Amino acid sequence: MSHTITLIPGDGIGPEVSEATQRVLEASGVKIEWEVHNAGAAVAEKRGTTLPAEVLESIRRNKVALKGPIGTPIGKGFKSVNVTLRQELDLYANVRPVRSLPGVEPRFEGTDICIVRENTEDLYAGLELMIMPGIAQSIKLITERSCKRICEYAFDYAKRMNRRRVTVVHKANIMKLSDGLLLEVFRKVAMLYPAIEPAEVIVDACAMNMVRNANKLDVIVTENLYGDILSDLGAGLVGGLGIVPGANIGTSSAVFEAVHGSAPDIAGKGIANPTALIQSAVMMLHHIGETSPAERIERAVTELYKRGEVRTGDLGGAATTAEFTDALCRMVAAG
Ligand code: NAI
């Protein structure tokens, strides 16, 4: 069976890691027809918008997209395309498995955390204004509906993946109403899943716990901003942004993308590590029911890292993106 999937190559290192990922998918034998669409600053120059309507239409039609990173200007300029996509398509759950790979020196052996981040609200709602010169306000929006569905998603995920514990990460000691609402909803949802242990931790303590012993954590459920920061921290614990994948899941569509950004410092040099997007594509294959090619790629990634002969620069090696991809494709094809 062939699948039609939207591909947004993105900018910076996006096109390089997207091409590598397409090649690995092809080597796995899965049949995919790509609908390629661009978004971001370069598109805005020609089209007057960073996110043309046909990109959203394509994802709505195909229900699945693979996406490279897209840069967002800091402090000024257009709104993040990534945030807009998540809000427009109501991709409410951002799932980021933080796992160590064999041979990559993690801070702790066998780290295996999954961060489930609420993806549509919080300070990312983009509700900002200058009240008067010198005074800026940013509104943190948290609704009961979003808290409920993200907590349910986290517990369902834990159940499906045979995980033991779900920890809610919050700052309800200070933000008593907004983070307090998440905590209150979490406690109610947790009662419906008696087989899974619920736990609560304040975000600053969570950051310290992750650095001291990440293996004490299992599934984390949290708000948008805390989830963003903790997933980069998690990436740092297992070898860096080059390897951590992600999925944005909604009720009717899903967009798979790495945790990392467009890495302008290495863009165009052909040295980016494509592993994170490849692992995001593996999540995508599981999502569309292509378990066999997904497992084939997973086995090949594990084996390639275990052998340790071919590594990109972020992990101390000298391989280019193309050399790494060639080696992985050979391993995938060998089965
Ligand atoms: P970044 O993740 O792009 O880069 C941080 C550091 O990690 C850089 O030194 C970079 O070279 C390295 N790195 C990242 N991915 C790598 C890979 N695959 N292989 C090797 N090294 C890698 O974060 P930064 O610099 O804060 O953001 C750059 C741009 O990306 C910004 O415009 C930001 O808005 C955007 N961004 C987009 C995201 C998305 O599309 N979902 C997510 C995060 C950031």
Side-chain angles (χ1 to χ4, degrees):
M1 180 190 168
S2 178
H3 304 268
T4 307
I5 292 177
T6 306
L7 174 70
I8 307 172
D11 47 44
I13 60 168
E16 301 164 49
V17 292
S18 296
E19 193 206 325
T21 304
Q22 282 179 286
R23 288 185 50 208
V24 172
L25 286 169
E26 201 178 328
S28 78
V30 67
K31 297 269 175 290
I32 297 175
E33 296 268 339
W34 296 104
E35 263 182 34
V36 182
H37 287 283
N38 292 307
V43 176
E45 281 170 26
K46 292 185 208 130
R47 302 281 310 274
T49 170
T50 51
L51 188 59
E54 68 264 20
V55 184
L56 288 170
E57 280 159 22
S58 171
I59 302 174
R60 286 199 176 103
R61 190 170 55 247
N62 298 328
K63 308 205 179 318
V64 181
L66 183 68
K67 177 187 159 296
I70 298 175
T72 311
I74 294 175
K76 56 184 169 49
F78 59 83
K79 184 181 170 184
S80 161
V81 176
N82 312 306
V83 172
T84 309
L85 261 178
R86 294 166 189 170
Q87 289 171 348
E88 285 288 326
L89 298 167
D90 199 24
L91 304 169
Y92 69 93
N94 191 329
V95 184
R96 295 177 157 184
V98 176
R99 258 183 231 126
S100 44
L101 279 168
V104 178
E105 259 191 32
R107 203 174 155 88
F108 309 103
E109 251 343 286
T111 296
D112 187 4
I113 306 171
C114 184
I115 298 172
V116 177
R117 162 187 172 193
E118 202 292 321
N119 220 11
T120 59
E121 296 190 337
D122 192 6
L123 285 156
Y124 285 65
L127 302 171
E128 282 196 307
L129 70 151
M130 292 302 295
I131 295 177
M132 60 175 74
I135 304 184
Q137 185 184 37
S138 189
I139 295 172
K140 172 168 166 141
L141 185 87
I142 303 288
T143 64
E144 186 176 1
R145 171 180 174 266
S146 289
C147 292
K148 185 165 178 285
R149 65 181 182 172
I150 199 66
C151 289
E152 284 172 353
Y153 187 93
F155 277 98
D156 283 337
Y157 176 91
K159 200 171 156 187
R160 197 168 65 245
M161 306 300 276
N162 295 318
R163 315 284 299 225
R164 284 185 306 109
R165 192 187 316 122
V166 177
T167 302
V168 64
V169 176
H170 65 89
K171 188 80 185 173
N173 51 333
I174 305 298
M175 280 157 281
K176 296 181 195 295
L177 297 183
S178 52
D179 286 23
L181 181 58
L182 171 67
L183 196 53
E184 187 188 315
V185 171
F186 173 83
R187 288 173 182 164
K188 279 189 198 149
V189 172
M191 287 198 286
L192 306 173
Y193 297 82
I196 295 161
E197 183 193 337
E200 301 170 8
V201 65
I202 292 173
V203 63
D204 38 348
C206 180
M208 186 197 65
N209 292 344
M210 278 174 79
V211 172
R212 291 191 71 182
N213 189 358
N215 293 359
K216 283 196 174 155
L217 288 156
D218 194 342
V219 176
I220 286 175
V221 63
T222 191
E223 291 166 11
N224 213 335
L225 181 61
Y226 306 148
D228 191 14
I229 297 168
L230 292 180
S231 42
D232 272 35
L233 171 55
L237 295 175
V238 295
L241 285 164
I243 62 173
V244 178
N248 301 286
I249 310 284
T251 39
S252 51
S253 51
V255 176
F256 295 81
E257 64 177 339
V259 168
H260 65 71
S262 57
D265 53 338
I266 56 164
K269 296 184 178 165
I271 56 169
N273 186 348
T275 307
L277 192 63
I278 292 167
Q279 303 231 76
S280 308
V282 167
M283 292 175 81
M284 180 184 83
L285 292 181
H286 282 297
H287 180 82
I288 61 174
E290 290 284 1
T291 312
S292 166
E295 288 175 349
R296 198 164 171 173
I297 299 174
E298 280 173 309
R299 279 196 302 275
V301 168
T302 305
E303 186 57 29
L304 190 63
Y305 274 97
K306 202 190 276 175
R307 291 190 192 176
E309 291 148 9
V310 188
R311 290 276 169 86
T312 44
D314 57 318
L315 296 176
T320 62
T321 310
E323 286 162 353
F324 178 89
T325 309
D326 289 344
L328 185 58
C329 284
R330 278 195 297 275
M331 215 152 257
V332 171

